[in-house]
Amino acid sequence: MSIMPNPSITTAEDLLSIREPGFRHELVRGELRRMSPAGHWHGGVGMVLAELISRHVREHRLGRAYMAETGFVLSRNPDTVLAPDISFVRQERLPRAFSPGYFPGPPDLAVEITSPNDTYTEVHEKASSWLEHGTRLVWVVDPVARRATVYRSRDDVRLLGPDDELTGDDVLPEFTVPLRDLFPGSS
Amino acid sequence: MSIMPRPTITADELLSMHEPGRPTELVRGELRRLSPAGYWHGAVIGRLAGRIGPYASERNLGETFGAETGFMLARNPDTVRAPDVAFVRRDRMPSEFSSGYFPGPPDLAVEIVSPNDSYTEVHEKALSWLEHGTRLVWVIDPVGRRAAVFRRSDDVHVLGPDAQLTGDDVLPGFAVQLSDLFPGGTGTNPAT
């Protein structure tokens, strides 16, 4: 993630108008952040988990799951728009009609898949941002270490190992997946 | 197919290496070289050690260790790791001088995050302390102005700059406000 000073892009609406194929962008307190495309290992793990979440959400009519690059407006003036790798919004919070912009608020579940070069500071800041803006469950999945961190609040953070299960708790009821099933080479 | 084992290094061999300015750890017999820390990182270590040291010695609670002190976490293959600040309670301190690494984990291990440290390696190291018996691990992030307190892998708390780090049962009564550990006190974030 690199910070690119660009004084012309400061609001969620400005961000929506950017056309720069191959890059993802986020806005943190009015400051543009540009992110490189993810590596294949990251993308593969994200796809497996996204598929499981999406299927579970549809089968149980829980709401809507979103793929990577979906923007969520977390705050205004200055604007913060973040895009998790996978996200979920429960049924009663979904807008009834089409609107072209970012989702107006936080997702109920935000999932981040870490890349080997992601720094502790930026991953931790992002997980904290989701929580502070109302996301009820944050999963940070680390495909290199084959671990995950589950953040439910600042005072409820758990580190899971490959033998543990990710569970949806009250956010995605009945969802459960052994962490090892997400990683290539697992049986 | 045969896999040629890489030669492993022992704690005794590590102790005899002299490479000024290159702090080194041993993880399951494999050398890990660390770069010397930036000055901001070092200043946080100084501030924290400057609080814990006098607190512990005035109350005869135990010994405080500065960065680069090696703790022997495992043998065969050997794992020797060095936290940025550590504390060992009095009853676990050897009564006589010995020249080697501390034979076991510290009771408190503190890691100060550097801007380039990856999420993976910071969590790996925090877990490594816990798995070998350290009871309290503080991961302090001066750039994010946050800290994470690990008591077990399923008992982690995230603190903001206005919260206090507390010694709990490891350093009873010890407390310091996180923002007091950052150079410039309540000043602005140096990274932005």
Side-chain angles (χ1 to χ4, degrees):
Chain A
M1 184 159 64
S2 72
I3 297 173
M4 206 177 56
N6 185 337
S8 65
I9 305 291
T10 59
T11 69
E13 287 67 30
D14 297 336
L15 185 65
L16 200 60
S17 72
I18 294 180
R19 292 283 167 270
E20 198 182 1
F23 286 98
R24 300 162 60 183
H25 299 84
E26 293 182 322
L27 200 59
V28 178
R29 291 180 292 277
E31 193 177 84
L32 189 65
R33 296 198 180 178
R34 186 164 87 165
M35 299 172 299
S36 303
H40 71 97
W41 197 269
H42 172 288
V45 171
M47 191 68 216
V48 171
L49 183 56
E51 187 204 343
L52 293 170
I53 292 173
S54 176
R55 195 169 60 204
H56 185 87
V57 165
R58 276 182 289 122
E59 281 172 0
H60 295 80
R61 298 169 187 274
L62 296 175
R64 199 128 181 88
Y66 297 91
M67 61 188 280
E69 303 183 34
T70 305
F72 292 83
V73 181
L74 297 190
S75 62
R76 287 284 195 180
N77 278 319
D79 289 7
T80 293
V81 179
L82 296 184
D85 288 310
I86 310 165
S87 50
F88 160 76
V89 174
R90 64 178 195 273
Q91 193 70 43
E92 56 268 36
R93 293 185 57 228
L94 294 175
R96 307 230 159 188
F98 169 80
S99 70
Y102 298 118
F103 188 88
D108 292 286
L109 166 71
V111 183
E112 303 287 354
I113 317 289
T114 59
S115 294
N117 293 329
D118 285 351
T119 69
Y120 179 84
T121 301
E122 68 197 10
V123 174
H124 212 241
E125 186 197 35
K126 210 165 168 185
S128 301
S129 279
W130 291 121
L131 288 180
E132 283 158 15
H133 290 95
T135 296
R136 296 186 296 149
L137 185 60
V138 179
W139 292 340
V140 175
V141 178
D142 181 342
V144 174
R146 304 170 86 82
R147 297 191 161 276
T149 312
V150 176
Y151 298 78
R152 297 177 57 83
S153 73
R154 278 188 166 193
D155 292 325
D156 185 356
V157 181
R158 288 152 206 259
L159 271 60
L160 306 184
D163 298 327
D164 294 320
E165 290 187 332
L166 275 175
T167 57
D169 302 337
D170 53 330
V171 176
L172 271 181
E174 293 175 48
F175 180 86
T176 172
V177 59
L179 206 49
R180 65 171 66 255
D181 287 1
L182 304 179
F183 305 125
S186 303
S187 52
Chain B
M1 189 177 73
S2 73
I3 295 169
M4 184 106 102
R6 268 196 278 182
T8 58
I9 308 277
T10 67
D12 292 337
E13 289 166 336
L14 180 66
L15 197 62
S16 67
M17 291 179 182
H18 286 293
E19 278 189 274
R22 289 303 301 272
T24 306
E25 293 184 321
L26 197 60
V27 178
R28 290 179 291 277
E30 232 173 68
L31 282 181
R32 290 206 188 167
R33 290 176 204 282
L34 315 169
S35 302
Y39 76 96
W40 193 268
H41 176 285
V44 177
I45 295 177
R47 283 183 176 228
L48 184 59
R51 301 276 185 133
I52 295 177
Y55 185 91
S57 60
E58 280 161 18
R59 290 162 185 78
N60 200 20
L61 296 175
E63 217 55 57
T64 307
F65 299 88
E68 301 183 35
T69 304
F71 289 83
M72 175 99 67
L73 298 186
R75 284 284 200 183
N76 277 318
D78 292 2
T79 293
V80 177
R81 307 204 79 158
D84 287 314
V85 182
F87 167 77
V88 172
R89 64 172 201 267
R90 187 166 43 106
D91 56 301
R92 291 186 59 232
M93 281 299 296
S95 50
E96 287 179 22
F97 171 80
S98 74
S99 61
Y101 297 117
F102 186 85
D107 292 289
L108 166 69
V110 184
E111 301 289 351
I112 315 295
V113 178
S114 291
N116 293 327
D117 287 350
S118 78
Y119 188 78
T120 301
E121 66 199 10
V122 171
H123 271 185
E124 189 263 335
K125 201 166 175 188
L127 282 171
S128 163
W129 292 120
L130 292 177
E131 281 161 12
H132 290 97
T134 296
R135 295 186 295 150
L136 187 60
V137 179
W138 293 341
V139 173
I140 299 175
D141 178 355
V143 175
R145 301 179 72 80
R146 291 194 175 89
V149 176
F150 296 71
R151 290 189 190 82
R152 292 190 316 270
S153 63
D154 61 354
D155 182 359
V156 183
H157 296 246
V158 178
L159 306 182
D162 299 329
Q164 284 193 328
L165 280 170
T166 56
D168 300 341
D169 54 332
V170 176
L171 269 175
F174 179 82
V176 59
Q177 181 160 320
L178 200 51
S179 59
D180 288 346
L181 298 178
F182 304 134
T186 53
T188 51
N189 185 337
T192 55

